[in-house]
Amino acid sequence: MSASIRSQVANARTWVVKVGSALITADGQGLDVDRIDAWCEQIVAIGEAGRRVVVVSSGAVAEGRRRLGYGARAAAIHELAAAAAVGQSGLIEAYQRAFSRRGRDIAQVLLTHDDMADRQRYLNARATLATLLDLGITPVVNENDSVATDEIKLGDNDTLAAMVANLLAADVLVVLTDQAGLHQADPRLEPDAPLLGEASAADAGLDGMAGRGGGLGRGGMATKVAAARLAARSGAHTVIAGGREPRVLCRLASGEPLGTLLTADLAPLDARKRWLAGQLRAKGELRVDAGAAEAIRGSGVSILPAGVTAASGAFHRGDLVRVVDAEGGEIGKGLANYDAAETRRILGLRTTEIEAVLGFVGESELIHRDNLVVW
Ligand code: GLU
């Protein structure tokens, strides 16, 4: 185990702490206000020791379902949206009470996928969160589930928390869950599987260890691993730890090796590329040949028409597209310089031939390297 990374976590300035639905609602029995109070006490304590903490809290839908008497029955989308609105007010009230008791304020911040996809709104959200932290106020973030339908949803708060970590270039993402961390096999299938202490977030072996989600929250260990990978691209280490563990946040802040540490090993992306890396919904796909794939992976070059063999989807100039290799493996994603129809007309051409085909002078690249994130 790497003591130095655990101590980096302990001494990190900006933390994003994600609290899952099963944990916060005591498995759907209603908000566990005592536990919320205990986490808030710890957040205030680690904040007083100089850390900036953003909370990403689930539980709105679960609490709303309970208050509206839906139980575990399947509910329609509009009923879930209503449940989210009802539950969110209870959730935020519980946080506000716990912080007020300690003379501190919180701020409710509700985000949607579109807020993250639009660069201006993304920058606005970043400025708001940074201002709140500067004011010593703890933002409590959730997805705005009462307006986001399934097609436009981020879907799970693990992803939302990673995006918030990415937005703020946080140092640490702590995912509090109802398990002690990530086990070396899905504990639902292998109950004795030992806990994984530490791995690189990029380690492909993690996928086999992460099982599926439970009934209450949207995410399972697989979304937590994906979230750790996204957070790692902005330089944040992730700790997946048991939220029922006494004083878990304070103990992590004192360097105790609790839970599973997933480390960020790659150089962090710059601010614009962090935003790009967090984009989830591509409008199309460019397939590149082997030579182009190697050049893109190796030295982060731009994507030229000459190296592209196919373009699919209905994207417009400026839209996000995936870049895949000849076998369909994702290499990265970036913003297209041409519409899909134009792109298809210039595939395989040399840069000097573009104007004659399209009848206008455009960019010489299909995706400029500044607008391209490579995995
Ligand atoms: N945003 C949802 C809620 O507050 C939770 C999503 C999740 O479980 O990840 O109820």
Side-chain angles (χ1 to χ4, degrees), residues 18 21 57-62 142-143 145 155-158 217-219:
K18 187 258 174 180
S21 295
S57 183
S58 303
V61 172
N142 197 357
E143 184 161 11
D145 295 309
D156 66 81
N157 276 8
D158 298 322
R218 301 275 302 225

Side-chain angles (χ1 to χ4, degrees), residues 174-192:
V174 178
V175 180
L176 294 181
T177 175
D178 56 353
Q179 293 178 37
L182 180 61
H183 291 266
Q184 293 182 24
D186 183 350
R188 278 171 258 246
L189 305 174
E190 285 182 43
D192 299 330

